[in-house]
Amino acid sequence: MSTTTLDTLTPGDTATIAATAGDDAPLLRAMGLREGMDVTVKRTGEPCIVEAGNTRLGLARAMTGDIEVIPHT
Amino acid sequence: MNQGEPSNHAGQDLDGPVRTVALVGQPNVGKTTLFNRLCGLRSHTANIPGSTVEAQVGRWGTSRVIDLPGTYAITLKQPEATVVRECLSGQRSDAFTPTVVLLVLDATSLQRGLHLAIETLAFGLPCVVALNRVDTARKRGFEIDERRLASWLGCEVVSISARSGHGVNHLQPAIAGARVCDAPLPNTDDPGVCDDWVDGVIRESTPRPPVLAADHLSDRLDIAFTHPFLGVLVFGLVMAGLFWTIFAFAAVPMDLIDTIFGHVGGWLASILPAGDLRDLIVDGIVGGLAGTVVFLPQILLLFFLIALLEDTGYLARAAFVMDRVLRHFGLPGQAFVPMLSAHACAIPAIMSTRLVPDRRDRLAVILTAPFLSCSARLPVYVLLIGVMFADQPVIAGVVFAGSYALGIIAALGSAFLARRTILPGTARPMVIELPDYQWPSITAALLTCWDRGWLFLRKAGTVILGMVVVLWWLSAYPKAPEAAPTAPTAIAATVAPESVAPSPMEYSFAGRIGKAVQPVFDPLGWDWQLTVGVMTSFAAREVFVSTMAVLVGGGDQEDHAVLDRIAHAKRDNGQPMLTTETSASLLIFFVLAMQCLPTLAVTAREAGGWKWAAIQFGWMTALAWGGAWIAFRVVIAAGGT
Ligand SMILES: Nc1nc2c(ncn2[C@@H]2O[C@H](COP(=O)(O)OP(=O)(O)OP(=O)(O)O)[C@@H](O)[C@H]2O)c(=O)[nH]1
Ligand SMILES: [Mg+2]
């Protein structure tokens, strides 16, 4: 399984979070973007929207670049 | 938006409450809704994360309840996490130490909440869990077994809906019997173990598969509302629509109030004997109060519409699309909510910047928020635009919305400058939770609107009434001598043929002060009366209309409604006081000027020094004077009146 970062996905893609990095990692984790969670990309661009569980988050691209994911094929 | 409620509702005068209950939970889970329901209060709630910024205290039976800001985790560096952490460990000198924790979890996002539960229970305080939003969870086919959940958490779990009140009555006995968590909890330092534990809890206490039905409505609305261009356009239309509605729909009730005051004034003038007492009552009190109270419909409508908008969940989307725009001006995404709420009042807006984590980002918002047109400016806009475009309602509406736009442009431009000079740097990247949309509660909006209207009337009856009486006195005394005036202006009368002996008004203290200061504003086209009006509005902007009502009052026009009287008032030389060009310069001045002492005090406190308040005051006043001068010149060049 190859990992990539969340900002490379396109709308509708789903992936499993592998790791979060950066200054804001604790915040992102607390908001629901934890390792092992499935996320769906709802909108790309700056900022973008991802959904994890029942949580919809608007994120700056600087942050999605810090989130490593394993895309579902 | 936060709307500046006092932070202690009933906290100080409790005679020995049995316990202190702290409401802890993630942002937007419904803590303040629950707090209001328990304590019978109406603190500010909104369907966007971050609506509570500081601890608030209320009373619920024999308990004291502390409503805390929501935080995603207690261990974060974010300011809201610090407030919660310090409160729970009894380190806050300005708050009470809780004896019981009421942990509010959102049944529709249990997983996130459980991680917060682990952290909260680790403080070792007796705890009760309120499982909120069970109404939404149920609607979306999601049931949680509270007994199972309770055994995992080691404390009682009560399913509630804070919005409807369902289940809230079961909280009282649960709190009375609250116990310290007696279940084995994972160590907060080990994320892997915590994740496994949370997965276990969810597996055991929810149906399989543990997912909610999709929220198609939110998805569909988001297609338009979060679109990078369409979204910004929609937001612009929503705001323009908001202000236009206020302008258009409040006109009828406003005229009605104005007419009633006019009749009351006329009637009093007819029954009271001529003299100082009659002048004080008719010109001072009735005229002055009318100048403020006629704007009650606009104020009510503004707060009603904002309350509706806040409850829908749309504002989180607006914040999302506006982040791109704000970023260009060096403002962070978190600036959106403070800047929007500054359209009601800058004070709570500045206080809500406490949730902006970066200090320079925060200062940029604090310094520029007062440019945004607060509700106290609304009366002045209505008066001046009414004078300029009396018979052109459409243009008037556009200029009205344009005044708000000018405030926004000034704020963004100033932020842009500040980020390149005194506050160098770029704004931090944004992350915001987008809650589900919901129908706004009309009742809740009406109640908010009632509270705000009452606050407005109370201010009119106290501060503004007091100022109006003082102003009347200043404008009535000292009396001009009956014959052969000896004031220096009498000599001028022989030199300049158009100026006559000073009127009693000019001879009064107000007249003398106004004339002494008037040269400062002469380039803007203002006479001494407008100068006095603007000077008094430095204490509170809405006093402007009342001041003008007192200054132009009297004469033989008692039956005229107060706004008409101001619009048709004359200068000493017989020219109209308000022409198109002076109205334009006044309007621009009011949009841009910093005329609010309480805001300056809050700026100094929140920014950490009077230096910042001085910068804010200096910059805004300079810009206001310059802008007003340009407006005056441009209108004259374009033909004036
Ligand atoms: N459907 C539903 N909505 C609720 C319930 N409780 C609260 N809400 C809504 O949730 C939104 C947020 O409520 P608040 O009370 O402001 O949330 P809070 O936890 O105080 O939020 P912060 O102060 O930001 O931490 C409001 O729009 C409420 O109307 C509930 O039980 N069911
Ligand atoms: Mg709250």
Side-chain angles (χ1 to χ4, degrees):
Chain A
M1 285 187 297
S2 65
T3 67
T4 175
T5 49
L6 192 53
D7 56 340
T8 60
L9 303 186
T10 52
D13 285 359
T14 57
T16 304
I17 298 181
T20 48
D23 283 351
D24 291 302
L27 176 63
L28 293 178
R29 267 207 291 277
M31 292 180 93
L33 299 179
R34 303 183 149 260
E35 288 80 358
M37 282 288 286
D38 285 350
V39 290
T40 309
V41 176
K42 291 272 174 175
R43 179 182 284 288
T44 50
E46 172 70 347
C48 60
I49 301 179
V50 299
E51 200 173 75
N54 185 47
T55 308
R56 222 176 284 111
L57 297 178
L59 289 169
R61 192 178 290 150
M63 289 179 149
T64 45
D66 280 341
I67 302 173
E68 263 183 48
V69 294
I70 304 162
H72 300 172
T73 42
Chain B
M1 282 182 267
N2 198 299
Q3 309 196 329
E5 308 299 319
S7 60
N8 275 352
H9 289 286
Q12 297 94 339
D13 49 74
L14 297 188
D15 41 339
V18 178
R19 60 181 82 81
T20 301
V21 181
L23 283 163
V24 175
Q26 294 196 317
N28 213 45
V29 293
K31 297 177 295 302
T32 306
T33 310
L34 180 59
F35 172 78
N36 287 345
R37 199 165 270 286
L38 295 178
C39 305
L41 295 171
R42 288 208 284 274
S43 283
H44 178 248
T45 68
N47 192 14
I48 182 167
S51 42
T52 307
V53 290
E54 60 175 356
Q56 312 215 38
V57 182
R59 186 172 193 157
W60 170 38
T62 54
S63 305
R64 181 194 280 135
V65 184
I66 309 177
D67 181 27
L68 290 168
T71 180
Y72 288 104
I74 297 181
T75 45
L76 295 173
K77 286 191 304 250
Q78 264 67 12
E80 59 274 24
T82 310
V83 174
V84 175
R85 201 164 52 230
E86 290 180 352
C87 176
L88 289 184
S89 50
Q91 289 167 352
R92 278 189 90 82
S93 50
D94 59 337
F96 301 95
T97 306
T99 54
V100 181
V101 173
L102 180 51
L103 177 65
V104 186
L105 299 184
D106 182 341
T108 64
S109 61
L110 193 56
Q111 188 188 37
R112 276 187 347 191
L114 286 172
H115 284 279
L116 181 73
I118 300 173
E119 291 186 337
T120 309
L121 293 171
F123 279 84
L125 289 164
C127 185
V128 170
V129 171
L131 191 61
N132 194 29
R133 256 182 232 262
V134 287
D135 53 326
T136 313
R138 244 170 238 153
K139 233 181 268 162
R140 292 172 64 186
F142 192 69
E143 294 270 352
I144 295 168
D145 184 337
E146 18 173 299
R147 277 216 210 97
R148 289 251 177 92
L149 188 59
S151 72
W152 277 91
L153 291 170
C155 56
E156 197 161 340
V157 174
V158 183
S159 291
I160 63 164
S161 165
R163 195 167 154 94
S164 72
H166 170 86
V168 170
N169 55 339
H170 297 307
L171 283 173
Q172 171 76 57
I175 296 269
R179 59 183 203 270
V180 178
C181 163
D182 53 10
L185 289 176
N187 190 331
T188 46
D189 298 331
D190 194 337
V193 177
C194 288
D195 285 349
D196 291 345
W197 183 83
V198 168
D199 288 346
V201 178
I202 292 184
R203 214 171 28 242
E204 293 276 320
S205 52
T206 63
R208 246 153 292 181
V211 284
L212 281 79
D215 180 14
H216 291 300
L217 174 71
S218 292
D219 285 346
R220 260 183 238 139
L221 291 176
D222 275 352
I223 292 173
F225 293 170
T226 64
H227 188 276
F229 302 111
L230 206 55
V232 174
L233 187 73
V234 168
F235 177 63
L237 287 177
V238 167
M239 294 310 281
L242 178 86
F243 296 127
W244 189 84
T245 309
I246 292 167
F247 189 77
F249 284 77
V252 172
M254 180 179 85
D255 287 346
L256 187 72
I257 298 177
D258 199 5
T259 314
I260 292 172
F261 268 100
H263 284 309
V264 170
W267 176 72
L268 284 172
S270 68
I271 58 160
L272 291 170
D276 275 358
L277 183 68
R278 186 180 87 171
D279 290 349
L280 169 65
I281 293 178
V282 177
D283 299 340
I285 297 177
V286 176
L289 274 184
T292 300
V293 175
V294 288
F295 298 105
L296 184 64
Q298 277 94 343
I299 301 289
L300 293 181
L301 207 53
L302 174 73
F303 284 102
F304 179 71
L305 294 175
I306 289 182
L308 282 187
L309 203 57
E310 282 183 333
D311 212 14
T312 57
Y314 168 69
L315 291 184
R317 275 71 183 184
F320 173 83
V321 289
M322 289 308 287
D323 176 64
R324 262 165 73 102
V325 178
L326 294 178
R327 182 156 301 282
H328 288 303
F329 298 94
L331 291 166
Q334 292 105 334
F336 177 80
V337 171
M339 294 184 89
L340 190 77
S341 68
H343 286 96
C345 176
I347 292 170
I350 289 175
M351 285 176 37
S352 68
T353 61
R354 287 185 191 177
L355 296 189
V356 179
D358 182 81
R359 179 170 159 78
R360 284 189 182 153
D361 287 357
R362 185 163 64 237
L363 283 172
V365 188
I366 292 176
L367 290 183
T368 53
F371 271 120
L372 302 162
S373 299
C374 61
S375 60
R377 283 170 171 111
L378 211 162
V380 186
Y381 292 2
V382 172
L383 172 75
L384 296 174
I385 292 171
V387 170
M388 284 189 282
F389 305 101
D391 307 313
Q392 297 148 294
V394 177
I395 299 182
V398 171
V399 174
F400 186 72
S403 305
Y404 283 88
L406 178 65
I408 296 169
I409 293 167
L412 294 179
S414 302
F416 184 84
L417 272 181
R419 290 322 293 259
R420 271 153 196 80
T421 51
I422 52 173
L423 299 168
T426 48
R428 294 237 319 199
M430 172 194 66
V431 50
I432 186 173
E433 188 184 343
L434 306 173
D436 292 345
Y437 289 94
Q438 66 183 14
W439 277 112
S441 156
I442 308 261
T443 335
L446 283 174
L447 288 172
T448 307
C449 167
W450 165 268
D451 287 349
R452 302 305 304 192
W454 181 237
L455 221 62
F456 177 78
L457 286 181
R458 222 172 47 190
K459 190 171 180 190
T462 52
V463 180
I464 293 179
L465 182 63
M467 289 188 64
V468 154
V469 170
V470 169
L471 207 92
W472 174 84
W473 185 82
L474 286 176
S475 68
Y477 294 92
K479 298 274 181 211
E482 286 297 325
T486 51
T489 33
I491 301 154
T494 54
V495 184
E498 76 274 16
S499 67
V500 289
S503 69
M505 195 64 100
E506 288 175 83
Y507 195 80
S508 69
F509 290 121
R512 293 179 198 197
I513 297 169
K515 292 204 158 192
V517 180
Q518 191 268 343
V520 176
F521 297 113
D522 189 58
L524 312 183
W526 307 349
D527 73 336
W528 70 266
Q529 303 179 84
L530 292 174
T531 302
V532 173
V534 169
M535 283 169 69
T536 57
S537 63
F538 271 89
R541 292 181 178 95
E542 58 269 59
V543 175
F544 177 76
V545 185
S546 291
T547 303
M548 296 321 296
V550 173
L551 291 183
V552 307
D556 47 1
Q557 321 178 325
E558 302 299 358
D559 278 338
H560 275 268
V562 62
L563 296 184
D564 269 358
R565 251 181 351 191
I566 299 173
H568 297 123
K570 297 272 185 286
R571 299 186 177 210
D572 297 337
N573 60 8
Q575 302 282 327
M577 179 179 76
L578 284 171
T579 56
T580 307
E581 56 268 22
T582 47
S583 300
S585 73
L586 267 170
L587 181 64
I588 303 292
F589 189 86
F590 271 92
V591 171
L592 300 175
M594 165 36 93
Q595 298 166 288
C596 183
L597 290 176
T599 300
L600 285 172
V602 171
T603 295
R605 194 185 73 203
E606 298 290 321
W610 280 94
K611 176 183 111 184
W612 299 107
I615 292 174
Q616 189 180 52
F617 179 79
W619 171 244
M620 290 184 68
T621 309
L623 209 60
W625 198 97
W629 183 79
I630 293 172
F632 183 62
R633 288 284 139 200
V634 167
V635 176
I636 288 184
T641 354

